[in-house]
Amino acid sequence: MTFLTVLAALLKIVLIVGVAFNLAAVLTWAERRQSAMMQDRFGPNRASFSLFGKEFRLAGLVHLPADGLKLIFKEDFVPQNGDKLLHALAPMLSLFAPLVLMAVVPFGDVLCMDQLKNGHLWDAVERFGTCTGAAGPKSLPAIPMQIFESNNGILYVFALSGLGIVGATLAGWSSDNKFSILGGLRAASQLVSYEVAMGVSLVGAMMVYGTLRIDEMARWQGEHVWGIFVQPLGFLLFWAASLAESKRTPFDMPEGESEIVAGHLVEYSGMKFGMFYFGEYLEIVVSSALLVSLYLGSYNLPFLHRDGITIAFGDAIWHKTLPHLLVVVVQVGTFFGKLALMCWFQLFFRWTLPRFRYDQVMRFGWRMLLPATLVNLFLTGVVVLAIDRAGEAFADRLGLVADGVNLLLGALMVFAVVRLVIGFAMPTNRAPRPGANDAPQTA
Amino acid sequence: MPTIKLDGREIPFEKGDTIIRAAWRQGLEIPHYCWHPGLSVAANCRMCLVEIERPGGRQMMLDVLNWDAEKGDYVPSKKPKLEPACQVECLENMNVKSESSAFVSDARKHVQEYLLLNHPVDCPICDQAGECKLQDYWLQSQRAPKRMHDEIVHKPKGVSFGPTIVYDAERCIVCTRCVRFMDEIAKDPVLDKRERGNLGEIVLSPGRQLEGKYTMMVDHVCPVGALTTKDFRFKSRVWFLRKVETVCPGCATGCNAWLDYDPRTGEVPRLRPRDNQAVNQFWMCDDGILTHKRVQSGRVVTATVGRGKDRKAVTPSAALKAAAELLKGAKSVGAVLSAQRSTEDNFTLAHIAKTFLGVGELHLASLGTWDGDAILRDADQNPNTRGATLAAGGAVHPIGELTEPVVGGQVGVVVALGGPVDLDDVTAGALGRAKLIVFSDAETALTKMADVVLPIASWAEQDGSFVNRQGTEQKFVAGPKPIGDALPGWDALVRLAKQAGHPLDWKRIKDVRKAMGGAAARPSTQPTAPEAPPAE
Amino acid sequence: MPLPLEGPVQYDRVKGTKISKPGRNAVQQAYVKDIADGLAITMHHFFKNTKEMIRGTRPDAVNDPMEDGVTTLEYPFQKRPYPERFRGVHRLTHRADGSPRCVACLCCSTACPAQCIYIEAGEYPEGDKKRGYEKYPVKFVIDELRCIFCGFCVEACPCDAIRMDTGMHPQPYDSRDQFVFGKSLLMSFVSADGEQQSENPRREPGEKGFAGITRLGQHH
């Protein structure tokens, strides 16, 4: 434990907290603006500030500080017979739980400090090296791009995501309001139910990757293929469960205008409400981060490895070494890019899917999702066992398939970018409206 | 009685009647402008032309050419000579065709067009619009736009004829009703006609103005909007007004009148004469017409208690309570009737005074005399001197005779009905010593020194009756709602009696009239049956 | 169709297409395809609208409100064009000399079903050439809160003195008496074209070039 590692840890904490908080804040804007675009309307665009006599609206981003200021200066209301301590504790817990989850999420491969120290800034490192340098007394440690290198990373996730339940339940209890307690109970039962399915759905991934460490999982995906291709069913099940965990629209049982008003949030105002609200968006960030880390290749791009780009189909076809610092920067950028894209994609669900009824949610959780995860677990076990028994030759052939998948994936990504650019450049094709060519009505 | 036939109807007539008058007596109208039942015949408007078949005689026929559409040429035909109904005297079994003759309708149409030829048709800004004969007969007989496209003849407009009347020569049809009225009724031939045809107009005698006691009547005899009073000019439109039967409170003659009031605001912008052959025939004097101003100005609006500086406005019930307190504490009470108030009000006060308050002698407050004349105006300015005397059930003493008992201390509290009243200084000084309870519609000398003032409705705002100098009891009907906190006079007095603890349960004017007995049982307003016009 | 007094009521047989119930196999029950379809629709709108917003090619909200895309009307800044005969706040038209055309005939307040017009007529002063010919409104008050904007006053006016062609809504105020518009305020309004007068010409009393005979021209 040197001064360098402590400094690096602090820097990583600042980076992750900064990104998570800012991403969550931007999500509050994105959700409103994005849903507006989906529904053919403007969305927030009125808040503005003036600078040098000009008015700036920044596409509605000014609403963010405006909303924040409003929440801060609003009256902090506590019900007369409510539990004041728990009433204050509940929003803290619901904000705290998703935040600490980000600690175990790796956002890049290791940074080999030795490499930098020796002045080989533009040299590549070995692809399969340990990156510990000369291991002499003067050598510097390799710094993992992860705040907390836990041996049981996934279990840590399970343990702390359960804490969010406590926040919602406490909020319901301490508000001294029937709607609140009903909302709190609904939240508790829903979260507990889906916690089970979420846990079991991940076991399949653990079996494939052979580890509990999330950084190891990420590395496995870089060497082989993204998790979504080896665990497609597990991916969908985990996604569904994490959607339910975030208490958002298809699963927003704890709230419901016509049933229990705002549920456990009824008696919250000002910044305490703001913390709940913020916690919800943090949960989106965290669940997106987990989805990216476990199933979508984490910080990996196809063919980009620690030493550079290696396009291979069984044997290497094309190889190019890249400087270590560049690779690390690309990897970190890739992770945060994927994270933002996944958050953006998750917002679509709320504005596309209709809401469940409460009994449907429970039935879905226990009678559909949980059996499905068990089936996934069983199938995965059988397949993993079969591959282990199949021998080297079959493993090579599987490697070929993985390379093919990676080739396809790379091509798909290039295609998506090109399609996006072309689509943006093309003018909108409007069908002529009947009567559009008639003479204008006002002479 | 001899009869004539008008459109197939048998109509009786008296000897000397013209056709139009015989019809008028039956309530039938033959369209006319210049004829007026109270004035001499001029026969200059030609509107009343009718077809007359005399018994046994030949009808006078004219040769005319009529367009025949079938032949496409004019063909000679006959047409009766039409005669003015206002000029031709009735003969037994004469057959007159008015509405039933196509020739007559045709004639009316053309006379009407001729009269409107140079008319400016400025109805929107004309005060007569809505009660104008030109409008009525246009709708009835003409119903076509005028065919002349030339500029009309321009004549003087907005000419002031005097302090009361404005003349518009363009609207004038020169029927000379106003000339004849000033000549025959007002006996002041100040108006005359000059020029002929489309240049004709009414003018004043050189160096004279239209002035005197009977000027505003010319507005009411004028069938069009040529003569308008300055008093009513531009004040309202006639279709906003509602009318009720009333009696002029200006003098003891008791001229019958229409009270025109605006139901939206409660204002009374004018009084119009109402025909009653027994009283005023068709006429009213200027002062009588202007009594409508009493409804709005100089009124007592709120009840007050206290004198001088201590006077403050209170609710009517609080004032009644204070008045009842005064009456309870009084050893002896005086009561003052008013010759300006209705018989019912006076009877109620007299009844209360004699029955409950032990008043022996009733006194009467009234206005003094003014310049009466032989036409309509009576020297007595009070409309109901006789009625108040009758209501008192015997002799009443002038208010001046109340001085002694008040000064002597025999009378401590005086209850007075107050319309406009003349008080001399001595009486006023004496009454000032007593406690004074005044029920009044107008601010008067009495209300100024009263201890308790209660607002009551003016004659226009309540039902009641006046007994005129001939002894005719004439009822009048409430028009607008009483202003402010005012109540009908008799109602306020009954409430005072109740407040003082006396048993009196008159709830409606009917109850008062029932208690009055014989006086009220008589038929009130004389029927407006027409009689012979006044001898000239 | 009269109902029969006895027996069951006979209705026409309802005709329609039979819709089969959705299948209940695992793939259908997972709703993966349906979710994907839904996402495709919302994403299509999202990408199209975002592109149009960024490129500034969204449809004209004022004139093409029924077009696909973001057609929100930003109301106080954008307004739909009103029909030509839209009845807005009243105005009193002017004569050439700036005095009101109104002659206080009270036709408008007579026609008004809401009784929201109050006029006090006055006479032009001595020496004015309009004296005797016309009167003018000393007070002309319209209670815009009572007004039901039926336009009867405009129809009733014989002088084209009151018009509702300002194109203005009655605006919100703080208190009720601010809605009671007086003569000077009503005369300060202009038509949608910025006119204070009216297109219909008018000849003033005694104007030169007046056709026809006058008293002065006659020999008598």
Side-chain angles (χ1 to χ4, degrees):
Chain A
M1 186 66 73
T2 60
F3 170 70
L4 193 64
T5 37
V6 172
L7 185 68
L10 282 177
L11 281 176
K12 283 186 287 186
I13 288 171
V14 167
L15 179 71
I16 279 295
V17 171
V19 167
F21 263 42
N22 281 306
L23 193 57
V26 169
L27 279 184
T28 63
W29 164 80
E31 173 142 71
R32 293 156 72 186
R33 194 78 186 176
Q34 185 180 328
S35 61
M37 288 299 106
M38 290 159 62
Q39 295 171 345
D40 290 358
R41 54 188 175 84
F42 273 129
N45 66 348
R46 304 316 302 172
S48 65
F49 63 90
S50 290
L51 206 60
F52 309 120
K54 283 183 77 177
E55 194 186 33
F56 291 93
R57 291 196 169 157
L58 307 183
L61 270 173
V62 189
H63 279 268
L64 281 185
D67 285 346
L69 279 175
K70 185 196 92 173
L71 287 174
I72 286 169
F73 287 110
K74 235 179 143 174
E75 185 194 358
D76 179 22
F77 174 80
V78 182
Q80 199 177 7
N81 296 325
D83 189 319
K84 292 188 176 45
L85 178 67
L86 296 185
H87 193 264
L89 193 61
M92 294 184 197
L93 278 178
S94 66
L95 191 63
F96 168 77
L99 195 59
V100 290
L101 280 182
M102 287 300 283
V104 289
V105 176
F107 54 92
D109 208 348
V110 288
L111 179 64
C112 298
M113 292 302 284
D114 228 27
Q115 188 81 359
L116 305 183
K117 182 194 142 202
N118 295 338
H120 307 298
L121 204 59
W122 297 109
D123 289 354
V125 293
E126 289 173 30
R127 179 170 171 182
F128 300 109
T130 52
C131 191
T132 47
K138 288 283 177 89
S139 69
L140 295 177
I143 293 173
M145 296 283 115
Q146 187 183 12
I147 296 170
F148 176 35
E149 271 186 298
S150 172
N151 279 334
N152 41 22
I154 288 285
L155 298 183
Y156 172 88
V157 169
F158 291 155
L160 282 170
S161 71
L163 208 57
I165 304 169
V166 183
T169 316
L170 278 185
W173 168 253
S174 63
S175 289
D176 185 36
N177 183 315
K178 287 169 187 167
F179 291 127
S180 289
I181 192 94
L182 281 172
L185 284 173
R186 277 190 180 195
S189 61
Q190 179 185 331
L191 295 187
V192 166
S193 306
Y194 282 82
E195 198 86 3
V196 179
M198 193 165 115
V200 180
S201 70
L202 274 181
V203 176
M206 292 181 218
M207 285 159 71
V208 173
Y209 300 146
T211 177
L212 285 178
R213 295 174 66 108
I214 300 181
D215 52 337
E216 287 295 330
M217 291 179 175
R219 212 159 284 139
W220 189 94
Q221 293 180 74
E223 290 305 325
H224 297 92
V225 72
W226 288 8
I228 184 172
F229 298 110
V230 292
Q231 279 285 304
L233 188 56
F235 169 71
L236 288 179
L237 295 174
F238 177 72
W239 198 352
S242 68
L243 266 180
E245 286 286 297
S246 68
K247 303 190 290 270
R248 282 166 61 79
T249 279
F251 300 98
D252 60 342
M253 291 307 108
E255 300 175 40
E257 288 294 324
S258 52
E259 307 156 12
I260 47 171
V261 199
H264 59 290
L265 303 177
V266 164
E267 300 289 359
Y268 278 92
S269 67
M271 207 53 210
K272 279 183 189 166
F273 170 79
M275 284 162 84
F276 274 117
Y277 193 64
F278 208 70
E280 189 181 301
Y281 285 97
L282 265 182
E283 270 180 31
I284 295 177
V285 175
V286 169
S287 72
S288 298
L290 286 173
L291 277 166
V292 168
S293 296
L294 300 176
Y295 292 102
L296 295 176
S298 191
Y299 47 79
N300 292 299
L301 284 171
F303 311 119
L304 181 68
H305 301 291
R306 205 186 283 180
D307 59 343
I309 297 170
T310 311
I311 297 177
F313 190 71
D315 302 321
I317 299 169
W318 187 75
H319 178 72
K320 171 98 171 93
T321 50
L322 289 175
H324 179 56
L325 196 61
L326 181 64
V327 170
V328 170
V329 167
V330 168
Q331 281 176 339
V332 171
T334 302
F335 177 79
F336 287 130
K338 280 182 184 176
L339 179 60
L341 206 62
M342 200 59 207
C343 290
W344 169 81
F345 194 66
Q346 295 234 58
L347 294 187
F348 269 98
F349 283 98
R350 173 167 174 193
W351 298 97
T352 304
L353 301 181
R355 190 167 181 265
F356 284 111
R357 216 166 52 212
Y358 183 67
D359 60 322
Q360 291 170 333
V361 165
M362 283 290 131
R363 198 191 302 150
F364 179 66
W366 288 108
R367 283 168 55 180
M368 307 285 221
L369 210 54
L370 188 60
T373 53
L374 289 171
V375 167
N376 180 50
L377 178 63
F378 177 72
L379 285 178
T380 309
V382 169
V383 170
V384 165
L385 213 58
I387 290 173
D388 273 0
R389 295 282 177 88
E392 284 290 315
F394 187 71
D396 285 349
R397 241 172 278 161
L398 273 183
L400 270 185
V401 172
D403 286 340
V405 167
N406 274 335
L407 274 171
L408 269 178
L409 192 62
L412 200 67
M413 286 164 78
V414 172
F415 172 75
V417 172
V418 171
R419 175 72 184 82
L420 208 61
V421 172
I422 290 175
F424 184 79
M426 296 276 280
T428 315
N429 202 6
R430 290 188 195 286
R433 190 159 47 88
N437 293 328
D438 295 354
Q441 293 194 347
T442 52
Chain B
M1 204 176 239
T3 57
I4 60 167
K5 257 191 175 175
L6 178 63
D7 292 334
R9 248 175 100 153
E10 291 282 335
I11 288 180
F13 67 91
E14 289 166 15
K15 190 171 163 15
D17 273 0
T18 54
I19 295 169
I20 202 168
R21 182 176 294 280
W24 173 71
R25 284 192 209 284
Q26 299 304 313
L28 299 173
E29 193 194 59
I30 296 172
H32 60 274
Y33 289 106
C34 67
W35 182 77
H36 189 284
L39 297 173
S40 62
V41 174
N44 61 18
C45 72
R46 316 309 287 178
M47 194 64 192
C48 64
L49 291 178
V50 287
E51 191 182 335
I52 302 171
E53 288 171 10
R54 288 183 176 73
R58 275 186 305 139
Q59 196 172 7
M60 201 190 299
M61 300 299 273
L62 303 174
D63 292 322
V64 291
L65 287 173
N66 270 341
W67 178 256
D68 191 331
E70 277 181 24
K71 279 190 182 173
D73 198 1
Y74 289 97
V75 290
S77 56
K78 296 270 184 190
K79 170 183 179 295
K81 171 92 173 110
L82 305 179
E83 294 164 77
C86 66
Q87 186 79 309
V88 179
E89 267 189 35
C90 293
L91 288 176
E92 177 86 52
N93 295 330
M94 196 182 242
N95 187 11
V96 182
K97 290 184 190 165
S98 164
E99 308 295 325
S100 55
S101 165
F103 297 110
V104 171
S105 343
D106 201 40
R108 278 181 198 158
K109 186 175 175 178
H110 292 116
V111 168
Q112 179 69 19
E113 187 178 3
Y114 164 70
L115 289 175
L116 282 173
L117 204 59
N118 285 306
H119 192 275
V121 201
D122 54 350
C123 302
I125 55 166
C126 176
D127 280 328
Q128 192 82 6
E131 52 185 15
C132 177
K133 292 251 182 178
L134 283 171
Q135 291 181 331
D136 296 348
Y137 294 150
W138 183 89
L139 209 62
Q140 198 174 312
S141 314
Q142 188 180 359
R143 287 212 180 209
K146 96 175 149 187
R147 290 175 286 172
M148 185 183 85
H149 294 297
D150 288 334
E151 183 70 20
I152 63 163
V153 177
H154 288 291
K155 289 191 272 192
K157 290 179 78 80
V159 182
S160 178
F161 265 9
T164 54
I165 293 293
V166 179
Y167 175 62
D168 186 320
E170 287 189 355
R171 295 177 190 155
C172 182
I173 60 167
V174 205
C175 68
T176 68
R177 269 192 191 185
C178 49
V179 177
R180 282 174 281 148
F181 172 82
M182 290 310 289
D183 198 6
E184 296 162 12
I185 308 297
K187 313 286 186 205
D188 183 12
V190 66
L191 294 178
D192 209 339
K193 181 196 164 199
R194 84 167 196 190
E195 303 294 346
R196 292 171 66 89
N198 58 12
L199 297 178
E201 66 175 282
I202 302 298
V203 287
L204 287 163
S205 299
R208 283 292 310 275
Q209 273 198 324
L210 185 61
E211 58 198 346
K213 300 281 192 284
Y214 295 92
T215 59
M216 288 169 87
M217 242 347 267
V218 300
D219 167 37
H220 296 295
V221 297
C222 183
V224 298
L227 291 162
T228 47
T229 59
K230 287 181 179 171
D231 180 47
F232 183 65
R233 191 169 164 84
F234 303 164
K235 284 285 186 316
S236 178
R237 302 312 303 257
V238 295
W239 53 80
F240 291 139
L241 305 178
R242 302 278 177 280
K243 62 174 186 183
V244 290
E245 293 177 354
T246 194
V247 175
C248 170
C251 73
T253 308
C255 296
N256 291 204
W258 292 112
L259 181 87
D260 282 356
Y261 70 99
D262 193 330
R264 303 170 302 174
T265 58
E267 282 170 16
V268 181
R270 67 175 180 179
L271 240 53
R272 282 182 298 136
R274 179 161 58 103
D275 300 0
N276 188 338
Q277 294 306 303
V279 180
N280 60 325
Q281 291 163 350
F282 312 94
W283 325 116
M284 276 177 82
C285 70
D286 288 3
D287 290 305
I289 288 172
L290 288 174
T291 48
H292 73 80
K293 289 186 175 171
R294 293 189 194 175
V295 181
Q296 238 68 38
S297 58
R299 289 292 299 274
V300 178
V301 181
T302 52
T304 55
V305 168
R307 279 192 198 195
K309 281 182 196 167
D310 300 332
R311 174 166 287 195
K312 57 179 187 233
V314 291
T315 59
S317 54
L320 282 173
K321 211 172 274 178
E325 289 297 317
L326 284 180
L327 285 180
K328 275 179 194 165
K331 276 182 287 181
S332 169
V333 179
V336 179
L337 306 180
S338 171
Q340 292 280 338
R341 300 295 307 178
S342 72
T343 319
E344 285 82 354
D345 291 359
N346 282 309
F347 177 76
T348 310
L349 178 57
H351 179 77
I352 291 170
K354 286 191 285 194
T355 317
F356 305 120
L357 304 178
V359 179
E361 291 185 341
L362 292 165
H363 296 80
L364 180 69
S366 56
L367 283 176
T369 55
W370 67 355
D371 47 344
D373 60 28
I375 305 170
L376 283 177
R377 295 156 65 93
D378 193 85
D380 182 6
Q381 272 197 74
N382 303 293
N384 205 20
T385 313
R386 286 188 72 152
T389 315
L390 281 171
V396 284
H397 307 275
I399 192 168
E401 290 182 16
L402 202 56
T403 315
E404 262 181 52
V406 170
V407 175
Q410 289 95 327
V411 170
V413 178
V414 174
V415 185
L417 255 182
V421 63
D422 284 339
L423 277 187
D424 58 62
D425 293 346
V426 181
T427 321
L431 283 176
R433 297 193 186 182
K435 295 286 181 191
L436 200 53
I437 303 165
V438 178
F439 292 77
S440 181
D441 56 336
E443 292 279 2
T444 62
L446 277 176
T447 58
K448 269 176 203 151
M449 58 188 180
D451 293 273
V452 178
V453 178
L454 274 145
I456 53 177
S458 74
W459 105 101
E461 297 157 348
Q462 69 172 55
D463 294 330
S465 59
F466 290 146
V467 181
N468 74 354
R469 60 180 172 187
Q470 302 158 317
T472 311
E473 186 188 21
Q474 306 191 95
K475 277 184 189 163
F476 50 83
V477 180
K481 286 199 177 74
I483 61 173
D485 294 332
L487 289 168
W490 58 269
D491 193 10
L493 286 162
V494 168
R495 283 175 198 224
L496 173 66
K498 273 187 193 164
Q499 186 72 44
H502 304 304
L504 190 63
D505 58 345
W506 297 343
K507 292 194 178 69
R508 295 175 204 157
I509 189 95
K510 252 193 197 161
D511 301 332
V512 185
R513 285 180 178 156
K514 206 169 155 192
M516 277 163 68
R522 261 184 285 140
S524 56
T525 313
Q526 294 298 310
T528 55
E531 287 177 9
E536 290 181 28
Chain C
M1 185 184 81
L3 288 175
L5 293 175
E6 288 172 12
V9 181
Q10 297 291 318
Y11 291 107
D12 290 343
R13 201 181 165 76
V14 176
K15 285 171 191 166
T17 44
K18 195 177 177 185
I19 298 174
S20 56
K21 282 193 172 181
R24 293 185 65 82
N25 64 41
V27 175
Q28 285 165 330
Q29 285 283 290
Y31 287 111
V32 174
K33 180 182 174 295
D34 303 271
I35 292 173
D37 286 351
L39 286 172
I41 292 171
T42 47
M43 283 208 179
H44 171 76
H45 277 262
F46 172 79
F47 282 116
K48 182 167 147 297
N49 289 332
T50 309
K51 178 179 90 179
E52 287 181 2
M53 288 294 284
I54 292 172
R55 291 183 49 166
T57 57
R58 70 187 180 89
D60 184 1
V62 178
N63 295 316
D64 285 331
M66 302 308 286
E67 198 65 68
D68 282 346
V70 180
T71 51
T72 309
L73 193 81
E74 294 180 273
Y75 167 63
F77 310 109
Q78 295 178 318
K79 284 174 184 165
R80 289 257 147 84
Y82 284 130
E84 201 181 346
R85 300 182 67 174
F86 170 77
R87 294 193 289 262
V89 167
H90 315 74
R91 72 180 173 103
L92 286 179
T93 54
H94 292 216
R95 296 170 198 242
D97 63 353
S99 61
R101 271 176 88 128
C102 174
V103 296
C105 71
L106 278 85
C107 284
C108 49
S109 64
T110 305
C112 180
Q115 301 198 354
C116 68
I117 306 179
Y118 172 79
I119 302 171
E120 237 176 71
E123 184 140 28
Y124 280 104
E126 202 79 56
D128 196 311
K129 51 184 185 190
K130 294 190 279 285
R131 183 185 167 87
Y133 285 86
E134 286 166 7
K135 41 185 183 170
Y136 77 100
V138 179
K139 279 184 187 170
F140 194 110
V141 181
I142 298 182
D143 188 339
E144 297 286 348
L145 276 186
R146 277 196 172 195
C147 176
I148 58 166
F149 292 87
C150 63
F152 283 7
C153 50
V154 182
E155 301 296 326
C157 185
C159 300
D160 200 14
I162 185 167
R163 284 180 153 246
M164 294 174 86
D165 59 358
T166 50
M168 292 194 299
H169 294 293
Q171 288 140 0
Y173 294 108
D174 302 329
S175 66
R176 278 167 186 259
D177 40 309
Q178 281 171 294
F179 285 94
V180 180
F181 288 1
K183 179 179 144 192
S184 54
L185 184 61
L186 288 167
M187 283 183 69
S188 71
F189 293 146
V190 295
S191 73
D193 308 329
E195 276 292 313
Q196 291 220 301
Q197 299 187 19
S198 147
E199 298 90 57
N200 297 335
R202 85 167 270 126
R203 289 179 298 189
E204 298 298 336
E207 226 168 44
K208 275 185 182 173
F210 235 33
I213 48 172
T214 64
R215 240 177 86 81
L216 297 174
Q218 290 287 310
H219 176 74
H220 55 84

